[in-house]
């Protein structure tokens, strides 16, 4: 089963009632914004049924019983999956989210989760050589002169330990999916690269040549983007569970105090976190303001 484009409608069309109907009938679907249009996606096996359902009930008809489809409609609840989209279906619908995590897992294997210094040096912000107990880093200007531009973003793929990889992967899956479903795969890709670039530069110019990596700077960027975008242009895809925002901001403050390093739990790239959050808030403000303007036009 493939997820395909079922309908493309202007942003001025309110799909909330119809989306609610699809939810009540347990029809797998998603809605994304592409330019001046909103696109409704659904499994190819249900595409015609969804189109016919929209022709009959564009407003959703909230009084329709959830236990059965409208009388005479082509979609019957017995024909629909008993559960929401499977993990495989979600992965197919969120290709950039899935690809980014797959790359992180591949790099984790290549670097043995941070234990193989030879392969780690392929992805670090600055190239380095090991001499005795010290790492000697190549200056940034020299690195870029050598054409190694990928290093500006590649540290996001590095992870040091199973817990580091697991936590970052879970958060990227949750936040990345939301952005990809609402704003499309190319927007998520662009934001991921932008947040990685800014957070890596912030960490480099704050701490100097050092070994750092992980998706956490990108995650704080995605969090800030979703937070302020949702504040200006509410949408169900950007609705975060209660307490998530507060928890991540509290964790950021705790890390800034230095208590994590004091307890021997590892060094935290605080500048990357703060840099990612700030640029994410900026893109969220700009994107949310633009989306709000389009909806009110």
């Amino acid at each position: 089963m493939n997820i395909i484009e079922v309908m493309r409608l202007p942003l001025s069309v309110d799909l909330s009632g119809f989306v609610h109907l699809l939810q009540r009938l347990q029809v797998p679907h998603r809605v994304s914004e592409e330019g001046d249009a909103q696109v409704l996606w659904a499994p190819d096996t249900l595409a015609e049924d969804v189109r016919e359902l929209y022709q009959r009930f564009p407003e959703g008809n909230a009084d329709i019983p959830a236990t059965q489809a409208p009388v005479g409609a082509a979609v019957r609840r017995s024909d629909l999956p008993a559960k929401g989209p499977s993990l495989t279906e979600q992965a197919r619908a969120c290709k950039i989210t899935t690809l980014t995590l797959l790359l992180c897992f591949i790099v984790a294997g290549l670097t043995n989760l941070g234990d193989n210094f030879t392969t780690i040096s392929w992805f670090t912000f600055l190239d380095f050589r090991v001499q005795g107990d010290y790492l000697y880093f190549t200056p940034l200007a020299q690195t870029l002169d050598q054409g190694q531009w990928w290093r500006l973003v590649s540290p996001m793929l590095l992870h040091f330990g199973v817990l580091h990889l697991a936590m970052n992967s879970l958060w990227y899956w949750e936040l990345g999916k939301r952005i990809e479903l609402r704003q499309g795969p190319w927007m998520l890709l662009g934001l991921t690269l932008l947040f990685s670039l800014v957070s890596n530069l912030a960490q480099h110019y704050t701490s100097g040549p050092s070994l750092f990596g992980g998706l956490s700077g990108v995650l704080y960027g995605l969090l800030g983007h979703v937070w302020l975008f949702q504040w200006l242009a509410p949408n169900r895809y950007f609705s975060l569970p209660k307490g998530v925002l507060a928890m991540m901001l509290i964790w950021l403050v705790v890390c800034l105090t230095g208590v994590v390093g004091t307890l021997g739990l590892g060094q935290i790239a605080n500048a990357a976190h703060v840099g990612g959050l700030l640029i994410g808030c900026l893109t969220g403000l700009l994107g949310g303001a633009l989306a709000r303007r389009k909806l009110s036009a």
Side-chain angles (χ1 to χ4, degrees):
M1 179 170 60
N2 295 320
I3 305 298
I4 65 171
E5 177 182 321
V6 177
M7 297 186 300
R8 182 178 292 264
L9 301 166
L11 288 174
S12 57
V13 175
D14 184 3
L15 274 178
S16 58
F18 184 67
V19 165
H20 181 63
L21 174 60
L22 293 179
Q23 291 174 332
R24 297 178 69 227
L25 295 178
Q26 298 186 19
V27 179
H29 67 282
R30 66 183 177 95
V31 179
S32 63
E33 294 180 12
E34 297 184 6
D36 295 329
Q38 52 186 330
V39 181
L40 176 65
W41 305 77
D44 51 4
T45 55
L46 297 175
E48 290 301 322
D49 291 341
V50 171
R51 292 190 190 100
E52 183 175 338
L53 191 64
Y54 181 75
Q55 292 296 322
R56 293 172 58 84
F57 305 99
E59 302 299 326
N61 286 39
D63 57 334
I64 296 175
T67 55
Q68 62 182 10
V71 176
V75 180
R76 292 183 174 81
R77 195 178 190 281
S78 59
D79 297 330
L80 302 175
K83 299 180 180 179
S86 66
L87 184 62
T88 301
E89 291 169 343
Q90 292 181 60
R92 288 176 179 172
C94 302
K95 293 180 176 60
I96 295 300
T97 306
T98 304
L99 178 60
T100 301
L101 292 179
L102 181 60
L103 288 174
C104 286
F105 296 146
I106 291 174
V107 171
L110 289 173
T111 62
N112 195 23
L113 285 171
D115 288 337
N116 188 330
F117 279 93
T118 299
T119 52
I120 285 177
S121 66
W122 302 345
F123 304 97
T124 49
F125 191 77
L126 300 176
D127 194 8
F128 65 85
R129 59 185 174 86
V130 181
Q131 186 171 334
D133 295 330
Y134 297 94
L135 300 180
Y136 293 90
F137 291 91
T138 302
L140 179 58
Q142 183 178 339
T143 298
L144 299 181
D145 286 342
Q146 294 172 352
Q148 299 180 12
W149 291 85
W150 74 85
R151 294 185 182 276
L152 294 175
V153 297
S154 60
M156 72 177 184
L157 302 175
L158 279 173
H159 288 87
F160 304 94
V162 174
L163 183 60
H164 189 207
L165 176 64
M167 293 301 295
N168 281 355
S169 297
L170 288 173
W171 280 116
Y172 189 83
W173 176 250
E174 287 301 321
L175 294 171
K177 279 194 311 178
R178 295 171 189 276
I179 294 175
E180 189 163 2
L181 289 172
R182 180 172 184 182
Q183 296 185 274
W186 295 114
M187 178 61 73
L188 175 62
L189 177 60
L191 290 176
T192 297
L193 294 177
L194 174 63
F195 297 159
S196 180
L197 172 64
V198 172
S199 61
N200 291 337
L201 287 172
Q203 185 63 35
H204 171 71
Y205 283 113
T206 300
S207 63
S210 59
L211 187 61
F212 61 87
L215 273 171
S216 52
V218 174
L219 294 180
Y220 272 100
L222 299 180
L223 178 69
H225 180 82
V226 170
W227 172 25
L228 294 185
F229 200 118
Q230 176 72 356
W231 176 57
L232 291 171
N235 180 282
R236 67 188 185 87
Y237 283 119
F238 276 14
S239 179
L240 293 171
K242 293 182 179 179
V244 167
L245 177 63
M247 182 187 69
M248 291 192 72
L249 292 180
I250 290 172
W251 175 248
L252 176 63
V253 173
V254 170
C255 291
L256 288 172
T257 64
V259 68
V260 176
T262 302
L263 294 175
L265 300 178
Q267 296 301 313
I268 304 297
N270 290 313
H273 294 177
V274 174
L277 180 62
L278 291 177
I279 187 62
C281 287
L282 178 60
T283 61
L285 281 173
L286 294 175
L290 182 59
R292 185 171 184 173
R293 183 178 179 181
K294 288 181 178 178
L295 290 173
S296 61

Coordinates of all heavy atoms in Angstrom, one line a residue, residues 15 27 29 52 60 68 73 89 98 105 122-123 131 138 157 159 179-180 192 214 223 228 238 240 242 248-249 275:
L15 N -10.3 22.3 6.1 CA -10.4 20.8 6.1 C -10.6 20.2 7.5 O -10.6 19.0 7.6 CB -9.2 20.2 5.4 CG -9.1 20.1 3.9 CD1 -7.8 19.6 3.4 CD2 -10.3 19.3 3.4
V27 N -9.5 6.3 9.0 CA -8.9 6.3 7.6 C -7.5 6.9 7.7 O -7.3 8.0 8.1 CB -9.7 7.1 6.6 CG1 -9.0 7.1 5.2 CG2 -11.1 6.6 6.5
H29 N -4.4 8.9 6.9 CA -4.3 10.1 6.1 C -3.3 11.1 6.7 O -2.9 10.9 7.8 CB -5.6 10.8 5.9 CG -6.1 11.4 7.2 ND1 -6.7 10.6 8.2 CD2 -6.1 12.7 7.7 CE1 -7.0 11.4 9.2 NE2 -6.6 12.6 8.9
E52 N -14.8 10.5 -2.9 CA -16.3 10.5 -2.9 C -16.8 10.9 -1.6 O -17.8 11.6 -1.5 CB -16.7 9.0 -3.2 CG -18.3 8.9 -3.3 CD -18.7 7.6 -3.7 OE1 -17.9 6.8 -4.3 OE2 -19.9 7.2 -3.4
G60 N -17.5 17.5 7.0 CA -17.3 16.4 8.0 C -18.5 15.8 8.6 O -18.5 14.7 9.0
Q68 N -20.0 3.6 12.1 CA -20.2 3.2 10.8 C -20.1 4.4 9.8 O -20.2 5.5 10.3 CB -21.6 2.6 10.6 CG -22.8 3.6 10.9 CD -24.1 2.9 10.8 OE1 -24.2 1.7 10.6 NE2 -25.2 3.7 10.8
A73 N -22.3 5.9 1.4 CA -20.9 6.3 1.1 C -20.1 5.1 0.7 O -20.4 4.0 1.1 CB -20.3 7.0 2.4
E89 N 4.1 2.2 7.3 CA 3.4 3.2 6.6 C 3.8 4.6 6.9 O 3.9 5.5 6.1 CB 1.9 3.0 6.8 CG 1.3 1.7 6.2 CD -0.1 1.4 6.6 OE1 -0.6 2.0 7.6 OE2 -0.8 0.6 5.9
T98 N 12.7 9.3 8.1 CA 13.3 8.0 8.1 C 14.7 7.9 7.6 O 15.6 7.2 8.2 CB 12.4 7.1 7.3 OG1 11.0 7.1 7.7 CG2 12.9 5.6 7.3
F105 N 22.0 5.7 12.2 CA 22.2 4.3 12.6 C 23.4 3.8 11.8 O 24.3 3.1 12.4 CB 21.0 3.5 12.3 CG 19.8 3.8 13.1 CD1 18.5 3.7 12.6 CD2 19.9 4.3 14.4 CE1 17.4 4.1 13.4 CE2 18.8 4.7 15.2 CZ 17.6 4.6 14.6
W122 N 35.7 11.1 9.9 CA 35.1 11.4 8.6 C 33.9 12.3 8.8 O 33.5 13.0 7.8 CB 34.5 10.1 8.0 CG 35.6 9.0 7.7 CD1 36.9 9.2 7.7 CD2 35.3 7.7 7.4 NE1 37.6 8.0 7.4 CE2 36.6 7.0 7.3 CE3 34.2 6.9 7.3 CZ2 36.7 5.7 7.0 CZ3 34.3 5.5 7.1 CH2 35.6 4.9 6.9
F123 N 33.4 12.4 10.0 CA 32.1 13.2 10.2 C 32.2 14.3 11.1 O 31.3 15.1 11.3 CB 31.0 12.2 10.7 CG 30.8 11.0 9.9 CD1 31.4 9.8 10.2 CD2 30.0 11.1 8.8 CE1 31.2 8.7 9.4 CE2 29.8 9.9 8.0 CZ 30.4 8.7 8.3
Q131 N 47.5 11.9 18.3 CA 48.9 11.8 18.7 C 49.0 11.6 20.2 O 48.8 12.5 20.9 CB 49.7 13.0 18.2 CG 51.2 12.9 18.4 CD 52.0 14.0 17.8 OE1 51.5 14.6 16.8 NE2 53.2 14.3 18.3
T138 N 42.4 20.2 12.5 CA 42.7 21.0 11.4 C 41.8 22.3 11.5 O 40.6 22.2 11.7 CB 42.3 20.3 10.1 OG1 43.1 19.1 10.0 CG2 42.7 21.2 8.9
L157 N 25.2 13.5 12.6 CA 25.0 12.0 12.4 C 25.8 11.3 13.5 O 25.6 10.0 13.6 CB 25.5 11.6 11.0 CG 24.8 12.3 9.8 CD1 25.4 11.9 8.5 CD2 23.3 12.0 9.9
H159 N 27.0 9.9 17.1 CA 26.4 9.7 18.4 C 27.4 8.9 19.3 O 28.1 8.0 18.7 CB 25.1 9.0 18.4 CG 24.0 9.9 17.8 ND1 23.7 10.1 16.5 CD2 23.1 10.8 18.5 CE1 22.8 11.0 16.3 NE2 22.4 11.4 17.5
I179 N 6.7 18.0 11.3 CA 7.1 19.0 10.3 C 6.9 18.4 8.9 O 6.4 19.1 8.0 CB 8.5 19.5 10.5 CG1 8.6 20.3 11.8 CG2 9.0 20.4 9.3 CD1 9.9 20.7 12.2
E180 N 7.3 17.2 8.6 CA 7.2 16.6 7.3 C 5.8 16.4 6.9 O 5.4 16.6 5.7 CB 8.0 15.3 7.3 CG 8.1 14.7 5.9 CD 9.1 13.6 5.7 OE1 9.8 13.2 6.8 OE2 9.3 13.1 4.6
T192 N 16.5 20.8 8.9 CA 17.4 19.9 9.5 C 18.9 20.4 9.2 O 19.7 20.5 10.1 CB 17.2 18.5 9.1 OG1 15.9 18.0 9.5 CG2 18.3 17.6 9.7
G214 N 25.9 14.8 17.4 CA 24.6 14.4 17.8 C 23.5 15.3 17.2 O 23.8 16.4 16.7
L223 N 12.1 21.8 17.8 CA 11.2 22.2 18.9 C 10.8 23.6 18.9 O 9.6 24.0 19.0 CB 11.9 21.9 20.3 CG 11.1 22.2 21.5 CD1 9.9 21.3 21.6 CD2 12.0 22.1 22.8
L228 N 6.7 27.8 18.1 CA 6.2 29.2 17.7 C 5.4 29.1 16.4 O 4.5 30.0 16.3 CB 7.4 30.1 17.5 CG 8.2 30.4 18.8 CD1 9.3 31.4 18.6 CD2 7.2 30.9 19.9
F238 N 1.1 19.9 14.6 CA 2.1 20.6 15.5 C 1.7 20.6 16.9 O 2.4 21.2 17.7 CB 2.4 22.0 15.0 CG 3.3 22.1 13.8 CD1 3.7 21.0 13.1 CD2 3.9 23.3 13.4 CE1 4.6 21.0 12.1 CE2 4.8 23.4 12.4 CZ 5.1 22.2 11.7
L240 N 1.9 19.5 20.4 CA 2.7 18.6 21.2 C 2.0 18.2 22.5 O 1.2 18.9 23.0 CB 4.0 19.4 21.6 CG 5.0 19.7 20.4 CD1 6.1 20.7 21.0 CD2 5.6 18.5 19.8
K242 N 1.2 17.6 26.3 CA 1.4 18.5 27.4 C 2.7 18.2 28.2 O 2.9 17.0 28.5 CB 0.2 18.5 28.3 CG -1.1 19.1 27.7 CD -2.2 19.1 28.7 CE -3.5 19.7 28.1 NZ -4.6 19.7 29.1
M248 N 11.7 19.8 27.9 CA 12.9 20.0 27.1 C 13.6 21.3 27.5 O 14.8 21.4 27.5 CB 12.6 19.9 25.6 CG 12.2 18.5 25.2 SD 12.1 18.3 23.4 CE 13.9 18.4 22.9
L249 N 12.8 22.3 27.8 CA 13.4 23.6 28.2 C 14.0 23.5 29.6 O 15.1 24.1 29.8 CB 12.3 24.7 28.2 CG 11.8 25.1 26.8 CD1 10.7 26.1 26.9 CD2 12.9 25.5 25.8
G275 N 21.9 27.5 20.3 CA 21.9 28.0 18.9 C 20.8 27.3 18.1 O 20.1 28.0 17.3

